[in-house]
Amino acid sequence: MKLRKLYLTTLLAMFALAGCQTPSQDVIDLLPEDNVIQKEGHNIKKIEFKNIPADGILRGMFDSYNIYLLVTYDDDSTLEHPLTMRSLSPDLRDILDTEGDHVVKILFRGQEVVAHFNILHSDKLYHIEYRDYQGNLLQIFEVQPGEQLPFIPDSPDREEDYYCIYDNKGWDTDLSGQNIHEDHQIYPKYEKKFKRSHSFSSKAQTDAFQNRFLDKSLSTSETGYTDTMYFHLGRFYHAPLYVARLDPTAGSVYHHTASGPAMSFTAKFESIDLSQTADRYAGIEEMMKSFLKSQITFNAFHSATQLNPWKNEDAVQILDGNDPRFQPQAYETYDVETLLHNHTTTYFDNLEGEYELFKTYLADYLVEHADYLNDLKTNGFNFSIPPSSDEGYYRAIYECDMDVVYCLRSNFFEDELRLYNVQPYFLVDPSSFSVRIDYDSTGDFKPTQKFEYSFDGACQDYLWAKEQ
């Protein structure tokens, strides 16, 4: 078998060209490649050119003549191998787009198989169309056969959508410095980055706020008063609530290599915990706290100490979530409109227009769908990763889109204002919950756009909100 393949490679490398206007005895290319015309267990007996018109070929019209190689094997079976401009080497394309009589020789067992290609003048022009990803025409060129484009247009930007960010734009066909031998429709190509926990910060009313002030309430007692302030931190798209264990492996991430086989998994969401203790969903609240710590960067540095409204030194730990008084609220007795006195309109730094907050508490949705979630926990769901999948890391997640609203509550007594507790609320879009196969080329699964807030900003939010 090795000897036969070596023989074919030697045979096909002996294709040579000569022309009356552009004579050449240099080897052009393998024409065609050996794996195209070889036949297992048989030798080639004869090769012939077919359908070459005696009166010549109009320049730029080579493909319209249906020219092909007829390969005959030692068992008298045959193969018709079409010759098209696309299948030929660049050097051969240049010659066949040049007017004149060109001779192609195939050296086979010491004999020459000769074909004449008489290229005639024509007014043929190749059409090169550049389009955007939606198919809209951006630029069109008309080019003489064998000529080059005057310039390559810039590929268009593509705005991110719900699922992807599009970077490193280019064209799916690079004609830079290339002689043109056929029509082209060229589309942009992008490197796709799949969104995960892609957050948008809320847009504050003034520069004095870090986050968007929504509502406040004041209650008084004999010993002092309590301020309750509500701020919208931002919105998270594709927020990963739970990560599955991939059975039969012991881990939650599968590394797929280029040579890896197809793999099948059962994704079991064993960390789902809907249990209730008294009037609290402790398992959901713990998940909420873990999510905030992994997806939000808290900056504890406080530069403007004179603005710090709270006298207690542990206020930073409360805001950062490292304190029992940081209490994620899985649900609330009041609906969202009542809780915020209908102040549910918000804006975002990088999005145009106004938005309504999501109106469903996280626990309300999860408990309502407890049967489905318990099935995901116990039985899981099955999925496969084909061998042709991109090399990288895969995991299964249960995700949704959510708004995070922070409630800052402070007590004033004995001439001191103290941060009493911080209550984050998760407000979710019920239509956004899904199980998704998440991919990352490096395996770190970082948020594609991470949310940040600071102690300094929270102080400013609180002080300025008191004046509203």
Side-chain angles (χ1 to χ4, degrees):
M1 181 65 190
K2 289 184 178 179
L3 289 176
R4 184 184 301 113
K5 188 166 185 179
L6 177 61
Y7 167 76
L8 279 171
T9 302
T10 303
L11 161 69
L12 297 169
M14 296 172 69
F15 277 70
L17 297 182
C20 62
Q21 294 184 3
T22 55
S24 172
Q25 295 300 325
D26 296 332
V27 173
I28 300 302
D29 200 357
L30 300 183
L31 175 64
E33 296 181 358
D34 58 345
N35 61 352
V36 174
I37 64 172
Q38 69 180 1
K39 182 178 180 181
E40 183 69 26
H42 294 278
N43 292 322
I44 297 173
K45 185 167 64 175
K46 184 169 59 175
I47 300 176
E48 304 170 89
F49 287 94
K50 294 294 185 180
N51 276 1
I52 300 177
D55 54 354
I57 299 170
L58 292 174
R59 187 174 70 134
M61 303 292 289
F62 184 88
D63 287 354
S64 66
Y65 293 92
N66 298 319
I67 301 170
Y68 63 92
L69 284 179
L70 180 65
V71 182
T72 304
Y73 301 96
D74 57 9
D75 62 351
D76 291 330
S77 62
T78 59
L79 169 71
E80 293 182 3
H81 177 74
L83 297 180
T84 63
M85 291 295 278
R86 182 182 291 270
S87 68
L88 303 176
S89 68
D91 289 340
L92 189 49
R93 294 181 205 173
D94 287 340
I95 289 176
L96 295 179
D97 266 338
T98 302
E99 293 179 25
D101 187 16
H102 307 284
V103 178
V104 174
K105 298 179 181 179
I106 301 177
L107 301 182
F108 175 67
R109 291 188 176 179
Q111 301 181 21
E112 291 184 350
V113 179
V114 179
H116 289 260
F117 291 91
N118 185 21
I119 309 301
L120 307 174
H121 172 77
S122 78
D123 296 325
K124 170 69 176 180
L125 296 175
Y126 288 125
H127 294 267
I128 313 301
E129 297 179 357
Y130 283 89
R131 298 180 176 269
D132 65 17
Y133 74 97
Q134 295 176 315
N136 300 313
L137 183 64
L138 301 176
Q139 185 102 35
I140 187 168
F141 297 95
E142 292 185 335
V143 183
Q144 293 279 350
E147 299 297 323
Q148 297 186 6
L149 294 179
F151 64 91
I152 303 295
D154 293 332
S155 56
D157 295 326
R158 180 173 179 179
E159 292 185 1
E160 64 186 50
D161 55 32
Y162 180 70
Y163 290 103
C164 294
I165 299 171
Y166 301 93
D167 291 331
N168 299 327
K169 60 183 181 179
W171 295 111
D172 62 4
T173 302
D174 183 11
L175 295 181
S176 178
Q178 301 296 314
N179 296 340
I180 307 300
H181 303 290
E182 59 184 321
D183 296 328
H184 288 276
Q185 279 195 354
I186 300 176
Y187 291 84
K189 64 177 181 180
Y190 307 90
E191 179 182 304
K192 291 193 297 187
K193 180 189 295 182
F194 292 98
K195 286 182 178 177
R196 70 180 61 84
S197 191
H198 191 80
S199 62
F200 290 96
S201 302
S202 62
K203 185 176 183 180
Q205 288 90 331
T206 71
D207 292 340
F209 287 96
Q210 179 175 2
N211 304 300
R212 186 159 194 84
F213 171 59
L214 296 172
D215 192 55
K216 69 177 179 180
S217 62
L218 175 66
S219 61
T220 60
S221 66
E222 294 181 358
T223 58
Y225 66 83
T226 299
D227 270 327
T228 303
M229 309 287 190
Y230 293 92
F231 300 91
H232 182 212
L233 266 68
R235 176 167 293 180
F236 296 78
Y237 291 103
H238 303 290
L241 302 180
Y242 301 104
V243 179
R245 178 182 65 83
L246 303 182
D247 189 21
T249 73
S252 59
V253 177
Y254 165 67
H255 181 205
H256 181 72
T257 61
S259 59
M263 294 292 294
S264 296
F265 298 99
T266 299
K268 293 187 176 180
F269 291 88
E270 298 172 347
S271 60
I272 292 176
D273 182 2
L274 305 181
S275 61
Q276 187 173 8
T277 303
D279 61 346
R280 296 184 58 197
Y281 288 100
I284 298 177
E285 291 170 0
E286 186 61 33
M287 179 273 292
M288 294 167 64
K289 184 180 291 187
S290 297
F291 174 85
L292 291 172
K293 282 186 168 295
S294 64
Q295 306 296 320
I296 297 180
T297 298
F298 177 76
N299 182 0
F301 178 71
H302 183 58
S303 58
T305 54
Q306 71 274 13
L307 293 178
N308 186 353
W310 299 296
K311 301 300 182 181
N312 48 325
E313 295 179 356
D314 51 2
V316 172
Q317 284 73 30
I318 301 175
L319 273 169
D320 191 20
N322 293 314
D323 188 282
R325 286 165 288 181
F326 186 88
Q327 300 174 352
Q329 294 295 108
Y331 74 101
E332 180 59 74
T333 304
Y334 303 106
D335 60 37
V336 174
E337 288 90 346
T338 303
L339 178 72
L340 299 175
H341 300 98
N342 293 316
H343 297 145
T344 58
T345 300
T346 191
Y347 299 82
F348 297 98
D349 285 336
N350 298 317
L351 297 176
E352 296 294 330
E354 67 177 32
Y355 293 77
E356 277 291 307
L357 292 176
F358 299 137
K359 303 295 177 61
T360 302
Y361 294 108
L362 175 63
D364 288 347
Y365 180 89
L366 296 181
V367 173
E368 182 181 352
H369 296 81
D371 290 344
Y372 174 69
L373 293 174
N374 286 328
D375 185 64
L376 286 180
K377 180 177 182 177
T378 304
N379 300 316
F381 79 102
N382 300 321
F383 70 97
S384 297
I385 299 177
S388 59
S389 300
D390 291 341
E391 183 167 346
Y393 297 82
Y394 293 81
R395 66 177 185 174
I397 60 174
Y398 187 62
E399 68 172 23
C400 70
D401 298 341
M402 68 173 69
D403 289 311
V404 178
V405 172
Y406 259 36
C407 171
L408 308 183
R409 184 169 285 121
S410 292
N411 288 344
F412 184 82
F413 61 98
E414 297 179 355
D415 296 327
E416 287 190 352
L417 185 65
R418 303 179 68 84
L419 183 62
Y420 177 67
N421 65 22
V422 176
Q423 295 178 317
Y425 289 88
F426 280 13
L427 307 176
V428 297
D429 176 6
S431 67
S432 67
F433 284 82
S434 66
V435 175
R436 187 166 73 125
I437 306 304
D438 194 13
Y439 166 81
D440 185 80
S441 60
T442 64
D444 57 27
F445 293 103
K446 293 180 180 179
T448 52
Q449 189 159 288
K450 197 166 186 177
F451 187 86
E452 298 184 6
Y453 81 109
S454 66
F455 181 76
D456 194 46
C459 291
Q460 291 176 342
D461 286 348
Y462 182 85
L463 287 174
W464 283 88
K466 283 177 66 68
E467 306 299 324
Q468 305 304 309

